């Protein structure tokens, strides 16, 4: 099922620390620095404070034939609000006990822990995923489940949010998960602005499948692209599978099968997700009543909207509006 944010308190300057190591996965590390280290004065919010810490004091070899040296040591984790593990050099190599102990201590004091791709093996080795759901790149999923049977591995999703511990699938899914974290911390408006600068989709649902099992005809892709744009512009209408299938000029059964194959989720789940995203946008950018917001996104009533927000975001529409009114300064409240 889709994994949505549980909104957490945001400090004035939220400190993110990325862990560097010998044979560093440079793509995953680049995702983290682009997401959290790049200054974003155009957003007019107190952006993240970013630091890098290293397991070793010596220069580190990194993928692609480069060498780097991190300024910080593992002591930096003591002050981190969020810690990111951008991959791991070998899924079969147990991480140093000093790193595992530092992560356990950080978790005990309430730090948020994130992994990308094979970085999940570090969290698992520290025992921080026992009894939790977790994901990783599909090619590592079986190995993760075998080595760490206490972890509830979900191999076919992009990312999983378990509150204080978040895991994501391979490489580019880390971008989706970073945007998901920004949405938790700053709201949908800011996350969408960052996505636009990155030139990526504003939000892919965490429950979406990691990959499409077979190539999709180009004509079909164009067809569903037009359909999803139409649906997003008509969220206020009843949007059943039959309605969407007629718009796509397909039978309901063929449409549902094609939708799942191409978008990695069901039509109902996708529509529900789009309605929540649209409601977030309305709450951040208008002073409309909760009833009016619910009607505008096709959820009909404030009670239904509250139910969706509680289930998917762990908060209420009013609490969401109050939370992000400080950050979304262009909003009318």
């Amino acid at each position: 099922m889709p994994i949505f944010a549980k909104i957490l308190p945001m400090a004035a300057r939220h400190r993110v620390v990325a862990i560097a190591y010998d044979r560093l996965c440079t793509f995953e590390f680049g995702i983290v620095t682009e997401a959290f280290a790049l200054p974003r004065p155009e957003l007019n919010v107190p952006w993240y404070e970013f630091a890098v810490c290293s397991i070793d004091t010596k220069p580190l070899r990194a993928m692609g034939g480069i060498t780097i040296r991190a300024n910080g040591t593992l002591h930096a984790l003591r002050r981190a609000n969020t810690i990111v593990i951008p991959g791991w050099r070998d899924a079969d190599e147990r991480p140093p006990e000093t790193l595992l102990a530092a992560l356990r201590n950080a978790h005990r004091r309430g730090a948020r822990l994130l992994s990308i791709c094979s970085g999940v093996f570090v969290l698992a080795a520290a025992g921080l995923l026992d009894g939790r759901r977790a994901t990783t790149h599909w090619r590592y999923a079986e190995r993760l489940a075998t080595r760490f049977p206490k972890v509830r591995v979900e191999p076919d999703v992009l990312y999983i949010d378990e509150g204080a511990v978040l895991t994501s699938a391979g490489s580019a899914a880390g971008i989706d998960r970073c945007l998901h974290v920004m949405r938790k911390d700053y709201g949908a408006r800011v996350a969408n602005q960052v996505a636009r600068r990155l030139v990526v989709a504003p939000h892919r649902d965490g429950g979406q499948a990691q990959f499409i099992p077979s190539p999709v005809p180009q004509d079909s892709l164009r067809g569903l692209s037009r359909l999803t744009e139409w649906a997003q512009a008509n969220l206020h209408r009843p949007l059943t599978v039959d309605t969407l299938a007629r718009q796509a000029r397909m039978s309901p059964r063929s449409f549902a099968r094609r939708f799942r194959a191409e978008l990695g989720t069901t039509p109902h789940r996708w529509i529900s997700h789009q309605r929540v995203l649209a409601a977030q946008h309305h709450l951040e950018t208008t002073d409309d009543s909760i009833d009016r917001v619910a009607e505008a996104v096709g959820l009909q009533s404030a009670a239904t909207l509250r139910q969706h927000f509680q289930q998917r975001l762990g908060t209420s529409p009013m609490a969401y509006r109050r939370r992000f009114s400080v950050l979304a300064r262009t909003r009318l409240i």
Side-chain angles (χ1 to χ4, degrees):
M1 61 181 295
I3 310 302
F4 289 83
K6 298 297 183 183
I7 297 174
L8 303 176
M10 181 66 178
R13 289 280 286 171
H14 189 101
R15 184 174 175 82
V16 177
V17 177
I19 296 174
Y21 48 86
D22 197 43
R23 308 200 307 278
L24 179 68
C25 300
T26 47
F27 183 70
E28 287 81 352
F29 184 74
I31 289 170
V32 177
T33 56
E34 175 72 19
F36 300 114
L38 184 68
R40 301 186 187 276
E42 71 278 9
L43 299 179
N44 198 29
V45 297
W47 199 240
Y48 300 100
E49 179 183 345
F50 184 80
V52 179
C53 76
S54 172
I55 300 172
D56 307 298
T57 56
K58 63 183 180 182
L60 306 173
R61 297 168 294 171
M63 192 73 67
I66 63 175
T67 301
I68 63 173
R69 183 189 293 273
N71 292 330
T73 67
L74 290 179
H75 291 299
L77 300 184
R78 297 175 180 175
R79 296 196 303 114
N81 302 107
T82 292
I83 297 169
V84 189
I85 307 167
W88 181 239
R89 59 193 174 214
D90 186 344
D92 294 321
E93 177 187 337
R94 182 174 174 82
E97 188 56 39
T98 52
L99 171 60
L100 301 181
L103 292 174
R104 294 186 196 106
N105 289 336
H107 180 260
R108 276 194 292 269
R109 66 171 177 76
R112 181 171 59 186
L113 305 177
L114 282 58
S115 70
I116 299 177
C117 195
S118 56
V120 71
F121 286 90
V122 179
L123 294 178
L128 299 176
L129 296 177
D130 290 356
R132 299 179 187 266
R133 293 170 302 130
T135 193
T136 186
H137 192 290
W138 56 267
R139 66 193 291 260
Y140 292 129
E142 185 175 350
R143 196 182 319 180
L144 179 66
T146 300
R147 287 186 53 199
F148 300 99
K150 294 182 180 180
V151 180
R152 294 157 54 196
V153 179
E154 296 188 9
D156 57 350
V157 298
L158 293 177
Y159 56 85
I160 290 178
D161 182 345
E162 286 281 83
V165 183
L166 298 89
T167 55
S168 66
S171 301
I175 299 174
D176 298 305
R177 203 275 318 284
C178 287
L179 289 170
H180 169 81
V181 167
M182 293 175 196
R183 190 168 288 101
K184 293 178 68 169
D185 294 341
Y186 291 102
R189 183 187 67 88
V190 167
N192 290 348
Q193 286 183 263
V194 175
R196 183 179 181 185
R197 182 164 175 177
L198 290 171
V199 196
V200 298
H203 193 219
R204 290 201 295 171
D205 175 18
Q208 198 167 314
Q210 288 190 28
F211 65 96
I212 297 170
S214 58
V216 176
Q218 189 62 32
D219 288 344
S220 175
L221 278 175
R222 285 200 296 268
L224 279 195
S225 176
R226 289 193 295 268
L227 173 71
T228 55
E229 290 174 3
W230 177 86
Q232 288 170 322
N234 290 273
L235 292 173
H236 60 284
R237 301 175 54 178
L239 296 177
T240 64
V241 171
D242 287 346
T243 302
L244 296 172
R246 282 195 301 270
Q247 186 69 22
R249 299 179 181 177
M250 301 171 66
S251 72
R253 179 175 296 181
S254 295
F255 168 74
R257 184 169 56 247
R258 181 63 61 82
F259 196 97
R260 180 63 183 247
E262 295 183 17
L263 274 76
T265 187
T266 65
H268 174 75
R269 186 177 295 171
W270 185 86
I271 289 293
S272 295
H273 180 61
Q274 297 304 314
R275 284 177 165 148
V276 170
L277 290 177
Q280 289 177 271
H281 177 75
H282 277 276
L283 290 167
E284 292 184 32
T285 59
T286 77
D287 60 355
D288 290 348
S289 69
I290 303 303
D291 277 308
R292 180 174 293 182
V293 170
E295 292 174 5
V297 301
L299 292 176
Q300 305 308 319
S301 70
T304 303
L305 181 61
R306 283 193 290 269
Q307 180 181 354
H308 277 261
F309 262 58
Q310 190 60 49
Q311 177 185 352
R312 300 171 185 274
L313 303 178
T315 189
S316 69
M318 285 301 297
Y320 183 90
R321 172 172 272 171
R322 286 194 299 269
R323 165 73 194 281
F324 294 112
S325 64
V326 175
L327 301 176
R329 297 182 180 181
T330 61
R331 187 173 64 189
L332 299 175
I333 296 180

